[in-house]
Protein backbone atom coordinates (compact mmCIF):
# COMPACT_ATOMS: atom_id res chain seq x y z
CA UNK A 1 0.00 0.00 0.00
CA UNK A 2 1.38 3.47 -0.88
CA UNK A 3 1.76 5.84 2.03
CA UNK A 4 3.56 9.09 1.25
CA UNK A 5 1.29 11.97 2.12
CA UNK A 6 -1.67 9.77 3.03
CA UNK A 7 -3.63 10.82 6.09
CA UNK A 8 -3.57 8.65 9.22
CA UNK A 9 -5.75 9.43 12.23
CA UNK A 10 -4.59 8.11 15.61
CA UNK A 11 -6.90 8.54 18.59
CA UNK A 12 -5.29 8.58 22.02
CA UNK A 13 -2.00 9.83 20.58
CA UNK A 14 -0.90 11.76 23.67
CA UNK A 15 0.69 8.75 25.37
CA UNK A 16 1.53 5.06 25.26
CA UNK A 17 0.68 2.95 22.23
CA UNK A 18 -1.04 5.78 20.34
CA UNK A 19 1.89 8.15 20.73
CA UNK A 20 4.41 5.55 19.50
CA UNK A 21 2.15 4.64 16.59
CA UNK A 22 1.74 8.29 15.59
CA UNK A 23 5.52 8.76 15.60
CA UNK A 24 6.17 5.61 13.55
CA UNK A 25 3.47 6.43 10.99
CA UNK A 26 4.82 9.98 10.60
CA UNK A 27 8.30 8.53 10.07
CA UNK A 28 6.84 6.37 7.29
CA UNK A 29 5.59 9.50 5.53
CA UNK A 30 1.97 9.65 6.66
CA UNK A 31 0.37 12.97 7.55
CA UNK A 32 -0.72 12.02 11.06
CA UNK A 33 -3.69 13.57 12.83
CA UNK A 34 -2.98 12.99 16.51
CA UNK A 35 -6.11 13.25 18.66
CA UNK A 36 -6.55 13.35 22.45
CA UNK A 37 -7.46 15.71 25.28
CA UNK A 38 -3.98 16.68 26.48
CA UNK A 39 -3.09 19.28 23.87
CA UNK A 40 0.14 20.23 25.65
CA UNK A 41 1.44 16.71 25.03
CA UNK A 42 0.24 16.65 21.43
CA UNK A 43 1.68 20.05 20.64
CA UNK A 44 5.03 19.03 22.07
CA UNK A 45 4.94 15.84 19.98
CA UNK A 46 4.07 17.80 16.83
CA UNK A 47 7.06 20.05 17.55
CA UNK A 48 9.35 17.03 17.76
CA UNK A 49 8.15 14.94 14.83
CA UNK A 50 7.45 16.29 11.37
CA UNK A 51 4.10 15.37 9.87
CA UNK A 52 2.03 15.30 13.07
CA UNK A 53 -0.97 17.60 13.54
CA UNK A 54 -2.59 17.74 16.98
CA UNK A 55 -6.36 17.67 17.40
CA UNK A 56 -8.11 18.34 20.67
CA UNK A 57 -11.03 16.00 21.41
CA UNK A 58 -12.70 14.58 24.49
CA UNK A 59 -14.21 11.34 23.20
CA UNK A 60 -16.28 10.95 26.37
CA UNK A 61 -18.24 14.10 25.49
CA UNK A 62 -20.81 13.35 22.76
CA UNK A 63 -20.93 16.99 21.56
CA UNK A 64 -17.16 17.24 21.31
CA UNK A 65 -17.03 13.86 19.58
CA UNK A 66 -19.59 15.06 17.04
CA UNK A 67 -17.64 18.27 16.36
CA UNK A 68 -14.49 16.18 15.88
CA UNK A 69 -16.27 13.81 13.49
CA UNK A 70 -17.63 16.73 11.43
CA UNK A 71 -14.06 17.99 11.12
CA UNK A 72 -12.84 14.53 10.03
CA UNK A 73 -15.67 14.17 7.51
CA UNK A 74 -14.85 17.58 6.01
CA UNK A 75 -11.13 16.99 5.42
CA UNK A 76 -10.04 17.72 1.84
CA UNK A 77 -7.69 14.72 1.97
CA UNK A 78 -9.67 11.85 3.55
CA UNK A 79 -8.30 9.60 6.26
CA UNK A 80 -6.89 6.42 4.73
CA UNK A 81 -5.55 4.88 7.95
CA UNK A 82 -7.56 4.99 11.15
CA UNK A 83 -6.05 3.77 14.40
CA UNK A 84 -8.84 3.54 16.99
CA UNK A 85 -6.58 3.45 20.01
CA UNK A 86 -7.99 5.75 22.72
CA UNK A 87 -9.24 3.82 25.70
CA UNK A 88 -8.94 3.24 29.41
CA UNK A 89 -9.96 0.85 32.12
CA UNK A 90 -11.89 0.92 35.36
CA UNK A 91 -11.28 -1.64 38.09
CA UNK A 92 -13.60 -3.14 40.64
CA UNK A 93 -15.93 -6.03 41.32
CA UNK A 94 -19.33 -5.48 39.77
CA UNK A 95 -20.92 -4.11 42.95
CA UNK A 96 -18.26 -1.42 43.14
CA UNK A 97 -18.58 -0.08 39.61
CA UNK A 98 -20.79 2.99 39.29
CA UNK A 99 -23.02 2.67 36.23
CA UNK A 100 -22.28 6.26 35.16
CA UNK A 101 -18.54 5.55 35.21
CA UNK A 102 -19.06 2.37 33.18
CA UNK A 103 -21.18 4.31 30.66
CA UNK A 104 -18.43 6.89 30.25
CA UNK A 105 -15.90 4.12 29.63
CA UNK A 106 -18.21 2.55 27.03
CA UNK A 107 -18.59 5.99 25.44
CA UNK A 108 -14.81 6.28 24.95
CA UNK A 109 -13.86 2.64 24.29
CA UNK A 110 -16.85 1.63 22.16
CA UNK A 111 -19.25 4.37 21.00
CA UNK A 112 -16.54 6.89 20.09
CA UNK A 113 -14.70 4.14 18.19
CA UNK A 114 -17.91 3.43 16.26
CA UNK A 115 -18.63 7.09 15.56
CA UNK A 116 -15.07 7.99 14.48
CA UNK A 117 -15.08 4.96 12.18
CA UNK A 118 -18.39 6.13 10.68
CA UNK A 119 -16.82 9.54 10.03
CA UNK A 120 -13.89 7.96 8.15
CA UNK A 121 -15.76 5.34 6.13
CA UNK A 122 -17.31 7.47 3.37
CA UNK A 123 -13.84 8.74 2.37
CA UNK A 124 -12.40 5.22 2.46
CA UNK A 125 -15.27 3.86 0.37
CA UNK A 126 -14.69 6.59 -2.18
CA UNK A 127 -10.99 5.61 -2.29
CA UNK A 128 -11.90 1.92 -2.40
CA UNK A 129 -9.16 1.38 0.16
CA UNK A 130 -7.85 2.15 3.60
CA UNK A 131 -7.01 0.40 6.85
CA UNK A 132 -8.79 0.49 10.19
CA UNK A 133 -6.93 -0.82 13.23
CA UNK A 134 -8.94 -1.27 16.42
CA UNK A 135 -7.19 -1.62 19.75
CA UNK A 136 -8.89 -4.45 21.55
CA UNK A 137 -7.04 -6.33 24.29
CA UNK A 138 -6.44 -9.89 25.37
CA UNK A 139 -9.39 -8.93 27.63
CA UNK A 140 -11.45 -8.86 24.43
CA UNK A 141 -11.53 -12.65 24.64
CA UNK A 142 -11.88 -13.30 28.40
CA UNK A 143 -12.34 -11.27 31.59
CA UNK A 144 -10.17 -10.91 34.65
CA UNK A 145 -12.13 -10.74 37.91
CA UNK A 146 -12.27 -7.13 39.04
CA UNK A 147 -12.26 -5.95 35.44
CA UNK A 148 -15.53 -7.15 33.93
CA UNK A 149 -16.86 -3.86 32.51
CA UNK A 150 -13.53 -3.03 30.85
CA UNK A 151 -13.42 -6.51 29.33
CA UNK A 152 -17.01 -5.94 28.18
CA UNK A 153 -15.91 -2.85 26.23
CA UNK A 154 -13.16 -4.85 24.55
CA UNK A 155 -15.52 -7.77 23.78
CA UNK A 156 -17.72 -5.14 22.12
CA UNK A 157 -14.73 -3.86 20.12
CA UNK A 158 -14.03 -7.44 18.98
CA UNK A 159 -17.60 -7.93 17.79
CA UNK A 160 -17.74 -4.61 15.97
CA UNK A 161 -14.35 -5.29 14.37
CA UNK A 162 -15.29 -8.80 13.23
CA UNK A 163 -18.53 -7.69 11.57
CA UNK A 164 -16.99 -4.58 10.03
CA UNK A 165 -14.10 -6.53 8.50
CA UNK A 166 -16.49 -8.61 6.44
CA UNK A 167 -18.88 -5.72 5.69
CA UNK A 168 -16.28 -3.47 4.09
CA UNK A 169 -13.83 -5.96 2.59
CA UNK A 170 -15.73 -5.68 -0.74
CA UNK A 171 -14.61 -2.01 -0.89
CA UNK A 172 -10.97 -2.97 -0.40
CA UNK A 173 -10.90 -1.59 3.16
CA UNK A 174 -8.94 -3.70 5.63
CA UNK A 175 -9.92 -4.07 9.30
CA UNK A 176 -7.54 -5.34 11.96
CA UNK A 177 -7.91 -6.06 15.67
CA UNK A 178 -4.95 -5.81 18.05
CA UNK A 179 -5.01 -7.72 21.34
CA UNK A 180 -2.26 -6.46 23.61
CA UNK A 181 -1.33 -8.26 26.79
CA UNK A 182 0.14 -6.12 29.57
CA UNK A 183 2.12 -3.17 28.17
CA UNK A 184 3.98 -0.55 30.19
CA UNK A 185 2.15 2.73 29.51
CA UNK A 186 0.11 5.17 31.59
CA UNK A 187 -2.79 2.75 31.33
CA UNK A 188 -2.41 1.40 34.89
CA UNK A 189 -2.09 4.84 36.50
CA UNK A 190 -5.12 6.08 34.58
CA UNK A 191 -7.12 3.05 35.76
CA UNK A 192 -6.12 3.78 39.36
CA UNK A 193 -7.18 7.43 39.06
CA UNK A 194 -10.43 6.68 37.22
CA UNK A 195 -11.34 3.92 39.68
CA UNK A 196 -10.67 5.85 42.87
CA UNK A 197 -10.23 4.25 46.27
CA UNK A 198 -11.91 0.86 45.96
CA UNK A 199 -10.88 -0.20 49.42
CA UNK A 200 -12.51 2.83 50.99
CA UNK A 201 -15.86 2.22 49.33
CA UNK A 202 -16.18 -1.53 49.04
CA UNK A 203 -18.23 -3.64 51.42
CA UNK A 204 -15.92 -5.38 53.93
CA UNK A 205 -17.14 -8.66 52.42
CA UNK A 206 -15.12 -7.92 49.30
CA UNK A 207 -11.87 -6.94 50.97
CA UNK A 208 -10.49 -10.51 50.96
CA UNK A 209 -11.49 -10.83 47.31
CA UNK A 210 -9.43 -7.75 46.40
CA UNK A 211 -6.55 -8.76 48.67
CA UNK A 212 -6.37 -12.32 47.36
CA UNK A 213 -6.72 -11.46 43.68
CA UNK A 214 -4.31 -8.53 44.12
CA UNK A 215 -1.72 -10.95 45.50
CA UNK A 216 -2.47 -13.59 42.86
CA UNK A 217 -2.19 -11.20 39.95
CA UNK A 218 0.77 -9.41 41.57
CA UNK A 219 2.68 -12.69 41.86
CA UNK A 220 2.33 -13.21 38.10
CA UNK A 221 4.50 -10.12 37.60
CA UNK A 222 7.34 -11.21 39.87
CA UNK A 223 10.59 -11.20 37.92
CA UNK A 224 9.02 -10.44 34.55
CA UNK A 225 9.58 -7.38 32.37
CA UNK A 226 6.57 -5.62 30.95
CA UNK A 227 7.26 -4.58 27.36
CA UNK A 228 6.87 -0.97 26.25
CA UNK A 229 4.37 0.46 23.76
CA UNK A 230 6.81 0.25 20.82
CA UNK A 231 6.09 -3.49 20.66
CA UNK A 232 2.44 -2.87 19.79
CA UNK A 233 3.11 0.22 17.67
CA UNK A 234 5.48 -1.82 15.51
CA UNK A 235 2.79 -4.44 14.94
CA UNK A 236 0.22 -1.78 14.07
CA UNK A 237 2.52 -0.17 11.52
CA UNK A 238 3.45 -3.58 10.10
CA UNK A 239 -0.26 -4.33 9.62
CA UNK A 240 -0.88 -0.93 8.01
CA UNK A 241 1.99 -1.37 5.56
CA UNK A 242 1.25 -5.01 4.77
CA UNK A 243 -0.40 -5.98 1.47
CA UNK A 244 -2.44 -8.56 3.36
CA UNK A 245 -2.69 -7.81 7.08
CA UNK A 246 -3.95 -10.51 9.42
CA UNK A 247 -7.41 -10.13 10.93
CA UNK A 248 -5.97 -10.19 14.46
CA UNK A 249 -2.57 -9.67 16.07
CA UNK A 250 -1.62 -10.19 19.66
CA UNK A 251 1.53 -9.40 21.63
CA UNK A 252 2.60 -8.22 25.05
CA UNK A 253 3.05 -9.80 28.43
CA UNK A 254 0.92 -12.94 28.99
CA UNK A 255 -1.10 -12.49 25.79
CA UNK A 256 0.17 -15.75 24.32
CA UNK A 257 -0.48 -17.76 27.49
CA UNK A 258 -3.94 -16.40 28.25
CA UNK A 259 -5.24 -16.37 24.69
CA UNK A 260 -3.89 -19.83 23.99
CA UNK A 261 -5.55 -21.21 27.11
CA UNK A 262 -8.81 -19.43 26.28
CA UNK A 263 -8.76 -21.04 22.82
CA UNK A 264 -7.76 -24.47 24.11
CA UNK A 265 -9.86 -24.91 27.26
CA UNK A 266 -13.62 -25.26 27.50
CA UNK A 267 -15.54 -22.73 29.62
CA UNK A 268 -15.26 -24.81 32.81
CA UNK A 269 -11.58 -25.40 32.25
CA UNK A 270 -10.81 -21.75 31.57
CA UNK A 271 -12.80 -20.66 34.64
CA UNK A 272 -10.72 -23.05 36.78
CA UNK A 273 -7.48 -21.86 35.17
CA UNK A 274 -8.24 -18.16 35.71
CA UNK A 275 -9.51 -18.74 39.27
CA UNK A 276 -6.24 -20.47 40.04
CA UNK A 277 -4.14 -17.76 38.38
CA UNK A 278 -5.88 -15.00 40.31
CA UNK A 279 -5.65 -16.89 43.58
CA UNK A 280 -9.44 -16.97 44.03
CA UNK A 281 -9.98 -20.68 43.44
CA UNK A 282 -10.05 -21.75 47.07
CA UNK A 283 -11.35 -18.56 48.69
CA UNK A 284 -14.45 -19.21 50.84
CA UNK A 285 -16.07 -16.32 52.71
N1 LIG B 1 -1.36 -0.90 28.31
C1 LIG B 1 -1.93 -2.07 28.32
O1 LIG B 1 -1.54 -2.98 29.12
C2 LIG B 1 -3.05 -2.38 27.37
C3 LIG B 1 -3.45 -3.73 27.25
C4 LIG B 1 -4.48 -4.05 26.37
C5 LIG B 1 -5.11 -3.06 25.64
N2 LIG B 1 -4.71 -1.76 25.77
C6 LIG B 1 -5.44 -0.75 24.99
O2 LIG B 1 -4.53 0.03 24.24
C7 LIG B 1 -5.07 1.34 24.02
C8 LIG B 1 -4.02 2.39 24.37
O3 LIG B 1 -3.74 2.31 25.75
P1 LIG B 1 -2.31 2.69 26.38
O4 LIG B 1 -1.83 1.48 27.07
O5 LIG B 1 -1.46 3.33 25.39
O6 LIG B 1 -2.79 3.70 27.52
P2 LIG B 1 -2.45 5.24 27.80
O7 LIG B 1 -0.98 5.47 27.78
O8 LIG B 1 -3.20 5.58 29.03
O9 LIG B 1 -3.08 6.01 26.55
C9 LIG B 1 -4.47 6.14 26.39
C10 LIG B 1 -4.77 7.24 25.38
O10 LIG B 1 -6.20 7.35 25.26
C11 LIG B 1 -6.54 8.72 25.34
N3 LIG B 1 -7.86 8.95 25.91
C12 LIG B 1 -8.36 8.44 27.06
N4 LIG B 1 -9.57 8.97 27.32
C13 LIG B 1 -9.83 9.83 26.30
C14 LIG B 1 -10.89 10.72 26.01
N5 LIG B 1 -11.95 10.87 26.84
N6 LIG B 1 -10.84 11.46 24.89
C15 LIG B 1 -9.76 11.38 24.06
N7 LIG B 1 -8.73 10.57 24.28
C16 LIG B 1 -8.75 9.82 25.40
C17 LIG B 1 -5.47 9.35 26.24
O11 LIG B 1 -5.33 10.75 25.93
P3 LIG B 1 -5.77 11.98 26.88
O12 LIG B 1 -5.77 11.50 28.29
O13 LIG B 1 -4.74 13.03 26.58
O14 LIG B 1 -7.12 12.35 26.36
C18 LIG B 1 -4.23 8.58 25.81
O15 LIG B 1 -3.61 9.22 24.73
C19 LIG B 1 -6.34 1.42 24.86
O16 LIG B 1 -7.46 1.20 24.01
C20 LIG B 1 -6.20 0.26 25.83
O17 LIG B 1 -7.45 -0.23 26.25
C21 LIG B 1 -3.70 -1.39 26.62
Amino acid sequence: MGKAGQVALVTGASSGIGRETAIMLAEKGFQVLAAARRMDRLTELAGQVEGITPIDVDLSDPDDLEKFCQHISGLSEPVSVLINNAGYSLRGVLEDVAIEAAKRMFQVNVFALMRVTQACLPGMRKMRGGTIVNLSSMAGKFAFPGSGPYAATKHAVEAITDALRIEIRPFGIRVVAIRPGFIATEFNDVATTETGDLFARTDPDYKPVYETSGKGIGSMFAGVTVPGPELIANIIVEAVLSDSPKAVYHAGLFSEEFLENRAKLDDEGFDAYLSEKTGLKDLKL
Side-chain angles (χ1 to χ4, degrees):
M1 194 194 169
K3 61 266 359 130
Q6 288 183 356
V7 176
L9 168 59
V10 181
T11 67
S14 59
S15 69
I17 296 167
R19 184 178 190 278
E20 290 306 316
T21 305
I23 294 170
M24 288 183 197
L25 288 174
E27 287 171 352
K28 294 287 179 197
F30 285 92
Q31 290 178 50
V32 177
L33 305 176
R37 291 167 300 183
R38 286 171 293 178
M39 275 304 273
D40 51 339
R41 298 262 196 117
L42 295 177
T43 308
E44 196 187 342
L45 180 63
Q48 290 165 350
V49 183
E50 205 181 322
I52 294 186
T53 305
I55 310 187
D56 183 2
V57 63
D58 181 351
L59 298 170
S60 73
D61 176 344
D63 293 338
D64 207 28
L65 170 63
E66 208 44 52
K67 210 172 74 194
F68 173 71
C69 288
Q70 296 299 333
H71 173 70
I72 296 302
S73 300
L75 291 170
S76 55
E77 188 67 39
V79 171
S80 64
V81 171
L82 168 61
I83 315 294
N84 278 312
N85 163 78
Y88 68 96
S89 151
L90 287 174
R91 301 195 192 103
V93 297
L94 185 70
E95 279 194 68
D96 287 339
V97 178
I99 296 299
E100 279 312 311
K103 281 186 182 168
R104 206 173 139 260
M105 177 172 60
F106 267 87
Q107 175 64 30
V108 173
N109 294 9
V110 181
F111 297 118
L113 174 149
M114 291 170 62
R115 184 65 194 97
V116 172
T117 304
Q118 288 175 339
C120 294
L121 278 174
M124 289 186 180
R125 276 193 288 106
K126 213 176 260 172
M127 283 186 272
R128 292 292 193 259
T131 308
I132 298 171
V133 178
N134 289 341
L135 267 289
S136 174
S137 167
M138 64 177 171
K141 296 311 271 183
F142 67 92
F144 283 106
S147 197
Y150 171 70
T153 68
K154 294 303 185 180
H155 279 65
V157 168
E158 288 278 342
I160 288 159
T161 307
D162 281 347
L164 183 67
R165 185 182 305 111
I166 300 172
E167 290 163 7
I168 62 179
R169 187 177 288 131
F171 303 112
I173 307 170
R174 304 103 54 85
V175 180
V176 172
I178 310 281
R179 293 178 190 148
F182 293 103
I183 299 291
T185 64
E186 294 171 29
F187 184 77
N188 239 331
D189 293 342
V190 172
T192 302
T193 308
E194 291 284 341
T195 302
D197 192 348
L198 275 174
F199 243 62
R201 69 173 189 269
T202 197
D203 187 281
D205 262 0
Y206 279 114
K207 288 194 173 166
V209 176
Y210 284 124
E211 280 162 352
T212 308
S213 60
K215 257 189 228 146
I217 293 174
S219 70
M220 285 167 32
F221 286 86
V224 298
T225 307
V226 187
E230 315 75 34
L231 175 72
I232 303 298
N234 264 313
I235 290 170
I236 294 171
V237 174
E238 181 192 311
V240 167
L241 298 181
S242 166
D243 285 334
S244 49
K246 294 199 293 181
V248 179
Y249 296 78
H250 74 82
L253 188 62
F254 304 135
S255 69
E256 181 74 25
E257 177 189 338
F258 280 104
L259 290 170
E260 203 176 84
N261 277 307
R262 179 57 283 201
K264 191 174 73 188
L265 298 170
D266 64 12
D267 291 341
E268 296 299 321
F270 190 77
D271 179 88
Y273 161 77
L274 202 52
S275 304
E276 177 94 47
K277 274 283 187 193
T278 53
L280 291 171
K281 192 163 177 225
D282 299 318
L283 187 67
K284 299 258 182 313
L285 298 168

